[in-house]
Amino acid sequence: RSLRTAQRGRRMSMSTARCTVGASTRTMASRPSHSVRSPARSPGRVVASAKAPGGSSTTRVALKAEELTVEAFAPFGQVCKAEEDGVEFGPADAQLDLSQGTPRFYVMRLRDKDLSFDRITYHEKVTQCLGALGDKDWYMAVGEPTMDVAKYPKHDSTDRALRVFRVPPGHFLKMHAGCWHAGPLFEPHVEFMDFYNLELADTNVVDHNTHVFSEVDDIVYDVMD
């Protein structure tokens, strides 16, 4: 009898141990995780987008589009337009720096765009140029170069560091190296637009530095015209 009692006691202890482990496992599985994983990115692509969970709802901020002039766009780059054949090179021409890689000049087709954006990017190693083919206006949001993804441009009651310009047909933009930009943007009823783009062959692989407003600041910007 003493032997049977001892065996029964050992079986009960083992059973109790298994139940305890099982209950502990279930409790851990049901506990919510509060870890935040940064998005995967390729080498050379810097993306500032992580934030703590439980953030507030997204705020939509309207940005008024400005008329594009040489003077207004000067902090961000150059405004270039058609000139007569035979005019010699001068300060009004695009002042380019393509020395840090292989230049890439191509026509970029963009689809499904509208006049809203939630992220902004800069390229440190090239003076990118963008212009549209056709006869439609388009828009570009810009901020002065900071060469630091943590020092991104914002728009609030005291700071107009983030600005938007309407680009008419026949013009293209040369952006300073490091110029923050979001776009090209265009009206949502337009199916697609084609843009000629001058940058480096690997710009979007090794020199794509981005801040995501919607994830860090809970902001989406809407361009108003």
Side-chain angles (χ1 to χ4, degrees), residues 5 15 46 52 54 57 65 74 77 125 135 151 156-157 189 206:
T5 300
S15 176
V46 179
S57 59
K125 300 179 180 179
D135 58 358
K151 298 178 180 178
D156 55 36
S157 59
H189 61 80
V206 302

mmCIF file with all atom_site columns, all heavy atoms in Angstrom, residues 5 15 46 52 54 57 65 74 77 125 135 151 156-157 189 206:
data_model
loop_
_atom_site.group_PDB
_atom_site.id
_atom_site.type_symbol
_atom_site.label_atom_id
_atom_site.label_alt_id
_atom_site.label_comp_id
_atom_site.label_asym_id
_atom_site.label_entity_id
_atom_site.label_seq_id
_atom_site.pdbx_PDB_ins_code
_atom_site.Cartn_x
_atom_site.Cartn_y
_atom_site.Cartn_z
_atom_site.occupancy
_atom_site.B_iso_or_equiv
_atom_site.pdbx_formal_charge
_atom_site.auth_seq_id
_atom_site.auth_comp_id
_atom_site.auth_asym_id
_atom_site.auth_atom_id
_atom_site.pdbx_PDB_model_num
ATOM 1   N N   . THR A 1 5   ? 0.835  4.162  -2.851  1.00 0.00 ? 5   THR A N   1
ATOM 2   C CA  . THR A 1 5   ? 0.560  5.548  -2.462  1.00 0.00 ? 5   THR A CA  1
ATOM 3   C C   . THR A 1 5   ? 1.662  6.469  -2.961  1.00 0.00 ? 5   THR A C   1
ATOM 4   O O   . THR A 1 5   ? 1.420  7.574  -3.468  1.00 0.00 ? 5   THR A O   1
ATOM 5   C CB  . THR A 1 5   ? 0.448  5.656  -0.942  1.00 0.00 ? 5   THR A CB  1
ATOM 6   O OG1 . THR A 1 5   ? -0.610 4.813  -0.507  1.00 0.00 ? 5   THR A OG1 1
ATOM 7   C CG2 . THR A 1 5   ? 0.170  7.099  -0.508  1.00 0.00 ? 5   THR A CG2 1
ATOM 8   N N   . SER A 1 15  ? 1.716  15.379 -13.083 1.00 0.00 ? 15  SER A N   1
ATOM 9   C CA  . SER A 1 15  ? 0.555  15.961 -13.747 1.00 0.00 ? 15  SER A CA  1
ATOM 10  C C   . SER A 1 15  ? 0.404  17.419 -13.389 1.00 0.00 ? 15  SER A C   1
ATOM 11  O O   . SER A 1 15  ? 0.131  18.266 -14.221 1.00 0.00 ? 15  SER A O   1
ATOM 12  C CB  . SER A 1 15  ? -0.708 15.179 -13.370 1.00 0.00 ? 15  SER A CB  1
ATOM 13  O OG  . SER A 1 15  ? -1.843 15.772 -13.931 1.00 0.00 ? 15  SER A OG  1
ATOM 14  N N   . VAL A 1 46  ? 17.985 55.103 -45.748 1.00 0.00 ? 46  VAL A N   1
ATOM 15  C CA  . VAL A 1 46  ? 17.714 55.471 -44.360 1.00 0.00 ? 46  VAL A CA  1
ATOM 16  C C   . VAL A 1 46  ? 16.262 55.883 -44.253 1.00 0.00 ? 46  VAL A C   1
ATOM 17  O O   . VAL A 1 46  ? 15.809 56.784 -44.964 1.00 0.00 ? 46  VAL A O   1
ATOM 18  C CB  . VAL A 1 46  ? 18.634 56.621 -43.906 1.00 0.00 ? 46  VAL A CB  1
ATOM 19  C CG1 . VAL A 1 46  ? 18.339 57.003 -42.475 1.00 0.00 ? 46  VAL A CG1 1
ATOM 20  C CG2 . VAL A 1 46  ? 20.098 56.218 -44.060 1.00 0.00 ? 46  VAL A CG2 1
ATOM 21  N N   . ALA A 1 52  ? 6.421  54.810 -30.974 1.00 0.00 ? 52  ALA A N   1
ATOM 22  C CA  . ALA A 1 52  ? 5.830  53.995 -29.923 1.00 0.00 ? 52  ALA A CA  1
ATOM 23  C C   . ALA A 1 52  ? 4.392  53.661 -30.264 1.00 0.00 ? 52  ALA A C   1
ATOM 24  O O   . ALA A 1 52  ? 3.705  54.431 -30.926 1.00 0.00 ? 52  ALA A O   1
ATOM 25  C CB  . ALA A 1 52  ? 5.892  54.754 -28.597 1.00 0.00 ? 52  ALA A CB  1
ATOM 26  N N   . GLY A 1 54  ? 0.287  53.017 -29.868 1.00 0.00 ? 54  GLY A N   1
ATOM 27  C CA  . GLY A 1 54  ? -0.763 53.758 -29.186 1.00 0.00 ? 54  GLY A CA  1
ATOM 28  C C   . GLY A 1 54  ? -0.755 55.237 -29.482 1.00 0.00 ? 54  GLY A C   1
ATOM 29  O O   . GLY A 1 54  ? -1.200 56.043 -28.663 1.00 0.00 ? 54  GLY A O   1
ATOM 30  N N   . SER A 1 57  ? -4.492 59.813 -33.445 1.00 0.00 ? 57  SER A N   1
ATOM 31  C CA  . SER A 1 57  ? -4.999 59.677 -34.800 1.00 0.00 ? 57  SER A CA  1
ATOM 32  C C   . SER A 1 57  ? -4.269 60.647 -35.719 1.00 0.00 ? 57  SER A C   1
ATOM 33  O O   . SER A 1 57  ? -3.729 61.658 -35.293 1.00 0.00 ? 57  SER A O   1
ATOM 34  C CB  . SER A 1 57  ? -6.503 59.949 -34.823 1.00 0.00 ? 57  SER A CB  1
ATOM 35  O OG  . SER A 1 57  ? -6.780 61.258 -34.347 1.00 0.00 ? 57  SER A OG  1
ATOM 36  N N   . ALA A 1 65  ? -0.183 75.671 -52.339 1.00 0.00 ? 65  ALA A N   1
ATOM 37  C CA  . ALA A 1 65  ? 0.804  75.671 -53.414 1.00 0.00 ? 65  ALA A CA  1
ATOM 38  C C   . ALA A 1 65  ? 1.165  77.100 -53.794 1.00 0.00 ? 65  ALA A C   1
ATOM 39  O O   . ALA A 1 65  ? 0.297  77.969 -53.902 1.00 0.00 ? 65  ALA A O   1
ATOM 40  C CB  . ALA A 1 65  ? 0.271  74.923 -54.622 1.00 0.00 ? 65  ALA A CB  1
ATOM 41  N N   . ALA A 1 74  ? 14.897 79.399 -54.956 1.00 0.00 ? 74  ALA A N   1
ATOM 42  C CA  . ALA A 1 74  ? 16.356 79.450 -54.826 1.00 0.00 ? 74  ALA A CA  1
ATOM 43  C C   . ALA A 1 74  ? 16.912 78.678 -53.628 1.00 0.00 ? 74  ALA A C   1
ATOM 44  O O   . ALA A 1 74  ? 17.980 78.064 -53.738 1.00 0.00 ? 74  ALA A O   1
ATOM 45  C CB  . ALA A 1 74  ? 16.819 80.902 -54.782 1.00 0.00 ? 74  ALA A CB  1
ATOM 46  N N   . GLY A 1 77  ? 16.852 74.959 -55.013 1.00 0.00 ? 77  GLY A N   1
ATOM 47  C CA  . GLY A 1 77  ? 17.458 74.590 -56.278 1.00 0.00 ? 77  GLY A CA  1
ATOM 48  C C   . GLY A 1 77  ? 17.231 75.651 -57.332 1.00 0.00 ? 77  GLY A C   1
ATOM 49  O O   . GLY A 1 77  ? 17.121 76.837 -57.023 1.00 0.00 ? 77  GLY A O   1
ATOM 50  N N   . LYS A 1 125 ? 24.015 62.870 -52.730 1.00 0.00 ? 125 LYS A N   1
ATOM 51  C CA  . LYS A 1 125 ? 25.150 62.775 -53.639 1.00 0.00 ? 125 LYS A CA  1
ATOM 52  C C   . LYS A 1 125 ? 24.892 63.283 -55.049 1.00 0.00 ? 125 LYS A C   1
ATOM 53  O O   . LYS A 1 125 ? 25.750 63.130 -55.923 1.00 0.00 ? 125 LYS A O   1
ATOM 54  C CB  . LYS A 1 125 ? 25.610 61.305 -53.712 1.00 0.00 ? 125 LYS A CB  1
ATOM 55  C CG  . LYS A 1 125 ? 26.050 60.743 -52.374 1.00 0.00 ? 125 LYS A CG  1
ATOM 56  C CD  . LYS A 1 125 ? 26.461 59.288 -52.497 1.00 0.00 ? 125 LYS A CD  1
ATOM 57  C CE  . LYS A 1 125 ? 26.914 58.724 -51.157 1.00 0.00 ? 125 LYS A CE  1
ATOM 58  N NZ  . LYS A 1 125 ? 27.305 57.295 -51.263 1.00 0.00 ? 125 LYS A NZ  1
ATOM 59  N N   . ASP A 1 135 ? 1.441  68.813 -71.163 1.00 0.00 ? 135 ASP A N   1
ATOM 60  C CA  . ASP A 1 135 ? 0.960  70.176 -70.947 1.00 0.00 ? 135 ASP A CA  1
ATOM 61  C C   . ASP A 1 135 ? 0.197  70.340 -69.633 1.00 0.00 ? 135 ASP A C   1
ATOM 62  O O   . ASP A 1 135 ? -0.682 71.180 -69.515 1.00 0.00 ? 135 ASP A O   1
ATOM 63  C CB  . ASP A 1 135 ? 0.065  70.597 -72.114 1.00 0.00 ? 135 ASP A CB  1
ATOM 64  C CG  . ASP A 1 135 ? -1.132 69.664 -72.299 1.00 0.00 ? 135 ASP A CG  1
ATOM 65  O OD1 . ASP A 1 135 ? -1.240 68.664 -71.548 1.00 0.00 ? 135 ASP A OD1 1
ATOM 66  O OD2 . ASP A 1 135 ? -1.961 69.945 -73.190 1.00 0.00 ? 135 ASP A OD2 1
ATOM 67  N N   . LYS A 1 151 ? 16.750 65.816 -39.119 1.00 0.00 ? 151 LYS A N   1
ATOM 68  C CA  . LYS A 1 151 ? 16.426 67.245 -39.240 1.00 0.00 ? 151 LYS A CA  1
ATOM 69  C C   . LYS A 1 151 ? 15.553 67.464 -40.465 1.00 0.00 ? 151 LYS A C   1
ATOM 70  O O   . LYS A 1 151 ? 15.931 68.122 -41.425 1.00 0.00 ? 151 LYS A O   1
ATOM 71  C CB  . LYS A 1 151 ? 17.711 68.072 -39.312 1.00 0.00 ? 151 LYS A CB  1
ATOM 72  C CG  . LYS A 1 151 ? 18.576 67.949 -38.074 1.00 0.00 ? 151 LYS A CG  1
ATOM 73  C CD  . LYS A 1 151 ? 19.862 68.757 -38.206 1.00 0.00 ? 151 LYS A CD  1
ATOM 74  C CE  . LYS A 1 151 ? 20.732 68.630 -36.971 1.00 0.00 ? 151 LYS A CE  1
ATOM 75  N NZ  . LYS A 1 151 ? 22.014 69.374 -37.101 1.00 0.00 ? 151 LYS A NZ  1
ATOM 76  N N   . ASP A 1 156 ? 4.365  74.311 -39.490 1.00 0.00 ? 156 ASP A N   1
ATOM 77  C CA  . ASP A 1 156 ? 3.439  74.614 -38.404 1.00 0.00 ? 156 ASP A CA  1
ATOM 78  C C   . ASP A 1 156 ? 3.267  76.125 -38.331 1.00 0.00 ? 156 ASP A C   1
ATOM 79  O O   . ASP A 1 156 ? 3.665  76.864 -39.242 1.00 0.00 ? 156 ASP A O   1
ATOM 80  C CB  . ASP A 1 156 ? 3.923  74.032 -37.072 1.00 0.00 ? 156 ASP A CB  1
ATOM 81  C CG  . ASP A 1 156 ? 5.337  74.484 -36.704 1.00 0.00 ? 156 ASP A CG  1
ATOM 82  O OD1 . ASP A 1 156 ? 5.693  75.639 -37.003 1.00 0.00 ? 156 ASP A OD1 1
ATOM 83  O OD2 . ASP A 1 156 ? 6.081  73.683 -36.120 1.00 0.00 ? 156 ASP A OD2 1
ATOM 84  N N   . SER A 1 157 ? 2.677  76.594 -37.250 1.00 0.00 ? 157 SER A N   1
ATOM 85  C CA  . SER A 1 157 ? 2.332  78.012 -37.150 1.00 0.00 ? 157 SER A CA  1
ATOM 86  C C   . SER A 1 157 ? 3.554  78.917 -37.090 1.00 0.00 ? 157 SER A C   1
ATOM 87  O O   . SER A 1 157 ? 3.475  80.115 -37.355 1.00 0.00 ? 157 SER A O   1
ATOM 88  C CB  . SER A 1 157 ? 1.462  78.249 -35.907 1.00 0.00 ? 157 SER A CB  1
ATOM 89  O OG  . SER A 1 157 ? 2.153  77.836 -34.732 1.00 0.00 ? 157 SER A OG  1
ATOM 90  N N   . HIS A 1 189 ? -7.282 62.819 -60.976 1.00 0.00 ? 189 HIS A N   1
ATOM 91  C CA  . HIS A 1 189 ? -8.030 62.382 -62.157 1.00 0.00 ? 189 HIS A CA  1
ATOM 92  C C   . HIS A 1 189 ? -7.113 62.079 -63.344 1.00 0.00 ? 189 HIS A C   1
ATOM 93  O O   . HIS A 1 189 ? -7.552 61.507 -64.347 1.00 0.00 ? 189 HIS A O   1
ATOM 94  C CB  . HIS A 1 189 ? -9.061 63.447 -62.564 1.00 0.00 ? 189 HIS A CB  1
ATOM 95  C CG  . HIS A 1 189 ? -8.450 64.768 -62.936 1.00 0.00 ? 189 HIS A CG  1
ATOM 96  N ND1 . HIS A 1 189 ? -7.888 65.006 -64.173 1.00 0.00 ? 189 HIS A ND1 1
ATOM 97  C CD2 . HIS A 1 189 ? -8.311 65.922 -62.235 1.00 0.00 ? 189 HIS A CD2 1
ATOM 98  C CE1 . HIS A 1 189 ? -7.433 66.247 -64.216 1.00 0.00 ? 189 HIS A CE1 1
ATOM 99  N NE2 . HIS A 1 189 ? -7.673 66.815 -63.047 1.00 0.00 ? 189 HIS A NE2 1
ATOM 100 N N   . VAL A 1 206 ? 21.394 53.534 -52.887 1.00 0.00 ? 206 VAL A N   1
ATOM 101 C CA  . VAL A 1 206 ? 22.367 53.869 -51.840 1.00 0.00 ? 206 VAL A CA  1
ATOM 102 C C   . VAL A 1 206 ? 22.229 55.295 -51.313 1.00 0.00 ? 206 VAL A C   1
ATOM 103 O O   . VAL A 1 206 ? 22.964 55.686 -50.416 1.00 0.00 ? 206 VAL A O   1
ATOM 104 C CB  . VAL A 1 206 ? 23.811 53.664 -52.360 1.00 0.00 ? 206 VAL A CB  1
ATOM 105 C CG1 . VAL A 1 206 ? 24.020 52.233 -52.816 1.00 0.00 ? 206 VAL A CG1 1
ATOM 106 C CG2 . VAL A 1 206 ? 24.137 54.637 -53.495 1.00 0.00 ? 206 VAL A CG2 1
#
